[in-house]
Amino acid sequence: MAQQHLDPPTDPTAGPTSGDALAGYLRAQATEFLRSLRQHRENGAAGGPSAQGGSHVRAKSRAGEDPRAGDGGTEDAADAALALRRSARRISGTLHTFRPLLDADWSEAMRPELAWLSGTLAREHAYAARLERLLLALHRLSGSSVFPAQSSSAGEAAGAGPRPQTAIPERGNLTVGAAKAGALLERQLTLARTRAHSAALQALGSSRFHAVADSVAVLASEVPLTPAAADADLRPLAAAAEERLCDAVAALPLVTAGHPYNAEALVHGLSPDPSPHPQDGPWHQVRLLLRLHRYACEVLHGPESAVDVRLLAAGDALNRHRDAAEAAAAAAAAARTPRIAPATAYALGVLHADQRHEVEAARFAFQQAWQKQTVVTS
């Protein structure tokens, strides 16, 4: 595929592109980090989901109640944790892209700490979303109607409309094992989620986190720029981030992504080897590079500037790709559980195949989004 250069969302000559713009962006993100941290503490981190989280929410759904009813503090704490992760990612990504203009020792020390914090806070939400995704897929594939409203809204929220029910061969056999497969997934992922929640609480109370928060507090008032940063142009460094993204996309097997089925990835997922499929790695890397490119554009043009909808669509497709790949890996890991019933293993195999189909659909959606002409929206 020919390399494609991304058009900037706004006039590159508009607004400051010197070290002052970089310092202003980092200060704003540091301020947002501290604001989110204060909000998270006020709402109480201990109010987050615990071991009962998944089953408690699903029990409310079965009863026809709003799963969030009575959980305002928990929801606010989750929103604050999300904002905390968002600002940490932006600070870390900006330090990476514009590192020649920042104090090298300070920048190299900060980036891994911010990545540790963001990853630690993300795990609990990831396990919860993965469990919900897999259970909804199981119910859809087996013909069950336990969560009819949730299943419909999830499809419409993804922009794909209600997903039609396709004919599933041997659905009776699948229905037999679906309940046990769902119970197995719920046990495994709820346990992982509980551990992630405990790890997040320990992290937020650790001296390591307090050191990160202190560094961000200093960043909110003083950005350690190099002497040359004051007169430096930020655009060459942002262009380098764009080039890395375009090179990574050019190396993707976009021709394979145009096919509706990728048997190689499916066979690997069901093999005894628990390692991720090598096909997924380059796509995950493109997702990270696309994020760095977006952050560089925010530095140049401001967070509130017009956005290239092509980048948004491509990023959304890559997020769906990651979620489906991780869900497929979780189904395959559950299928490797010793001494499970054949019907349970069969249901997990069908579930794994379904999620690998979702992976291929997300790759195809990325291909379609990437090859479109740039469209800017404000």
Side-chain angles (χ1 to χ4, degrees):
M1 161 184 178
Q3 181 166 306
Q4 229 174 326
H5 290 273
L6 307 178
D7 297 329
T10 58
D11 183 357
T13 62
T17 57
S18 66
D20 290 340
L22 175 60
Y25 182 82
L26 285 172
R27 281 195 296 266
Q29 294 303 321
T31 301
E32 175 63 19
F33 180 98
L34 298 174
R35 185 197 67 79
S36 302
L37 176 59
R38 182 174 62 252
Q39 182 182 357
H40 190 272
R41 286 172 172 168
E42 289 174 353
N43 286 285
S50 60
Q52 69 165 358
S55 59
H56 178 62
V57 171
R58 279 183 292 281
K60 284 190 173 185
S61 298
R62 293 189 185 100
E65 302 175 17
D66 184 352
R68 296 170 297 179
D71 296 332
T74 298
E75 187 178 357
D76 290 342
D79 291 342
L82 179 62
L84 196 64
R85 287 165 41 209
R86 185 185 299 118
S87 55
R89 288 197 309 264
R90 278 169 166 75
I91 295 172
S92 179
T94 303
L95 296 182
H96 175 79
T97 301
F98 299 99
R99 60 187 179 278
L101 304 181
L102 296 156
D103 180 86
D105 294 337
W106 174 85
S107 178
E108 291 303 316
M110 274 288 288
R111 282 175 47 214
E113 295 303 290
L114 290 169
W116 160 76
L117 175 62
S118 178
T120 301
L121 295 179
R123 284 191 201 102
E124 180 185 354
H125 171 76
Y127 284 126
R130 196 171 307 154
L131 175 59
E132 181 179 12
R133 178 189 185 96
L134 288 170
L135 291 181
L136 289 174
L138 263 180
H139 294 312
R140 169 173 51 79
L141 292 168
S142 64
S144 173
S145 57
V146 178
F147 305 127
Q150 285 185 330
S151 180
S152 175
S153 62
E156 294 171 2
R163 183 167 177 171
Q165 292 288 343
T166 55
I168 304 296
E170 302 182 28
R171 175 168 274 178
N173 292 340
L174 177 61
T175 304
V176 171
K180 290 185 177 180
L184 176 61
L185 288 168
E186 184 162 4
R187 283 197 305 272
Q188 293 182 347
L189 292 176
T190 300
L191 176 60
R193 183 189 185 192
T194 303
R195 289 173 174 170
H197 179 68
S198 300
L201 291 181
Q202 291 175 0
L204 291 174
S206 67
S207 58
R208 184 179 182 182
F209 171 74
H210 288 298
V212 174
D214 290 343
S215 298
V216 174
V218 173
L219 181 63
S221 58
E222 181 181 358
V223 179
L225 298 175
T226 63
D231 300 323
D233 189 352
L234 304 182
R235 288 174 293 183
L237 293 174
E242 176 188 329
E243 289 291 338
R244 289 191 291 271
L245 169 63
C246 291
D247 290 343
V249 172
L252 289 177
L254 292 183
V255 174
T256 303
H259 294 288
Y261 183 68
N262 185 349
E264 181 183 351
L266 176 61
V267 171
H268 182 278
L270 293 178
S271 72
D273 184 6
S275 62
H277 193 281
Q279 283 188 7
D280 295 340
W283 292 87
H284 295 331
Q285 180 66 16
V286 167
R287 175 177 169 272
L288 297 178
L289 292 174
L290 179 60
R291 179 179 286 174
L292 291 177
H293 171 64
R294 283 179 40 231
Y295 298 163
C297 290
E298 290 181 3
V299 173
L300 292 182
H301 312 296
E304 304 301 326
S305 62
V307 179
D308 182 355
V309 295
R310 184 166 65 98
L311 291 184
L312 293 178
D316 181 64
L318 291 173
N319 287 338
R320 297 201 308 272
H321 174 274
R322 177 205 57 187
D323 294 343
E326 292 179 347
R336 297 186 186 100
T337 302
R339 297 183 297 278
I340 60 174
T344 306
Y346 174 78
L348 290 169
V350 173
L351 179 61
H352 172 269
D354 175 74
Q355 292 304 300
R356 290 309 305 186
H357 276 295
E358 295 291 339
V359 167
E360 298 306 316
R363 291 179 181 179
F364 182 72
F366 173 82
Q367 178 202 42
Q368 297 298 301
W370 185 261
Q371 294 177 345
K372 286 182 180 178
Q373 295 296 321
T374 298
V375 179
V376 176
T377 183
S378 57

